Amino acid sequence: MLGFITNQLQSLLCPGLRIRRLSVLCAQPRPRAMASSSSSWELPLVAVCQVTSTPDKQQNFKTCAELVREAARLGACLAFLPEAFDFIARDPAETLRLSEPLGGNLLQEYTQLARECGLWLSLGGFHERGQDWEQTQKIYNCHVLLNSKGSVVATYRKTHLCDVELPGQGPMRESNSTIPGPSLESPVSTPAGKIGLAICYDMRFPELSLALAQAGAEILTYPSAFGSITGPAHWEPFSS
């Protein structure tokens, strides 16, 4: 099972790789459809891409696209992008203004990118204007999975929103602008294995992980955009 990937682990996972913000990992062995040698197993490659998002959506897309194309060149079958890969705004009002529906221009660019590169994309946290946008004026934090043809094969809307008090910084209230998702998404079969979709703060709730594992998930994903306080409070204890 592919677990938590942190900045500190990158040099251990791929010491010879000299690509900024890109880790290429081996997932679980998968059987080959046609084995011509004595071994009938091979290790699919997956890429974990790290980016520092800004309010500039096009610049963020350019950065992500460069990493995805490099992952494809190295032979990865699936590339993971983090939560808020699309943008990180300066305030909640800007977050709402920059958000888009799943059928908007930005996601179309990522579907074209998946087709161009011929690999699957895990888009770890898209600021989605749902069908209830006009009524609620709130968004969903949506994990989108695209196949190599650019089709949306799964969407998971974050169920556990991060409402916390930060020492020295005051409250963080994701629920001020975001609606919790209604349900879990069944694990999805991909070339790297069966993937269970989650997002960031979901990792604090083990029932979600157990439900996905019991449903057959081989890889649990927690794309995240933690800050300087919330990051160490989650990645270091939970990955040790």
Side-chain angles (χ1 to χ4, degrees), residues 39-195:
S39 173
S40 60
W41 296 85
E42 63 181 357
L43 291 173
L45 290 177
V46 299
V48 178
C49 307
Q50 295 192 8
V51 298
T52 301
S53 295
T54 72
D56 187 335
K57 291 192 289 186
Q58 281 307 306
Q59 182 58 49
N60 297 335
F61 174 74
K62 180 180 178 181
T63 300
C64 290
E66 289 174 355
L67 293 173
V68 169
R69 291 186 179 107
E70 185 65 9
R73 188 187 68 79
L74 292 171
C77 63
L78 190 155
F80 293 91
L81 292 172
E83 180 185 29
F85 68 94
D86 50 351
F87 66 87
I88 290 182
R90 286 164 284 231
D91 54 59
E94 186 176 45
T95 295
L96 296 176
R97 181 174 61 80
L98 292 175
S99 63
E100 297 186 18
L102 290 181
N105 293 333
L106 185 61
L107 200 64
Q108 289 302 311
E109 291 187 275
Y110 280 95
T111 62
Q112 293 171 13
L113 180 65
R115 286 196 298 269
E116 170 199 327
C117 295
L119 83 174
W120 288 56
L121 290 180
S122 165
L123 307 178
F126 177 76
H127 296 85
E128 179 204 0
R129 291 189 184 186
Q131 294 182 350
D132 51 4
W133 164 255
E134 294 296 332
Q135 293 76 36
T136 66
Q137 293 295 293
K138 289 188 175 184
I139 60 175
Y140 293 95
N141 189 343
C142 186
H143 188 160
V144 183
L145 188 65
L146 305 177
N147 65 17
S148 58
K149 296 181 180 179
S151 300
V152 176
V153 295
T155 55
Y156 162 71
R157 293 165 179 88
K158 186 179 179 183
T159 54
H160 301 101
L161 302 184
C162 189
D163 286 2
V164 297
E165 296 286 337
L166 300 178
Q169 292 188 14
M172 173 186 291
R173 295 283 183 264
E174 188 176 13
S175 61
N176 285 347
S177 59
T178 305
I179 303 171
S183 62
L184 301 183
E185 177 72 19
S186 297
V188 181
S189 294
T190 77
K194 211 166 186 179
I195 291 181

Side-chain angles (χ1 to χ4, degrees), residues 1-4 194-198 208-210 212-213 217-222:
M1 180 179 293
L2 178 64
F4 304 106
K194 211 166 186 179
I195 291 181
L197 303 179
L208 184 150
S209 308
L210 290 171
L212 291 172
E218 299 167 312
I219 300 172
L220 299 178
T221 58
Y222 294 92

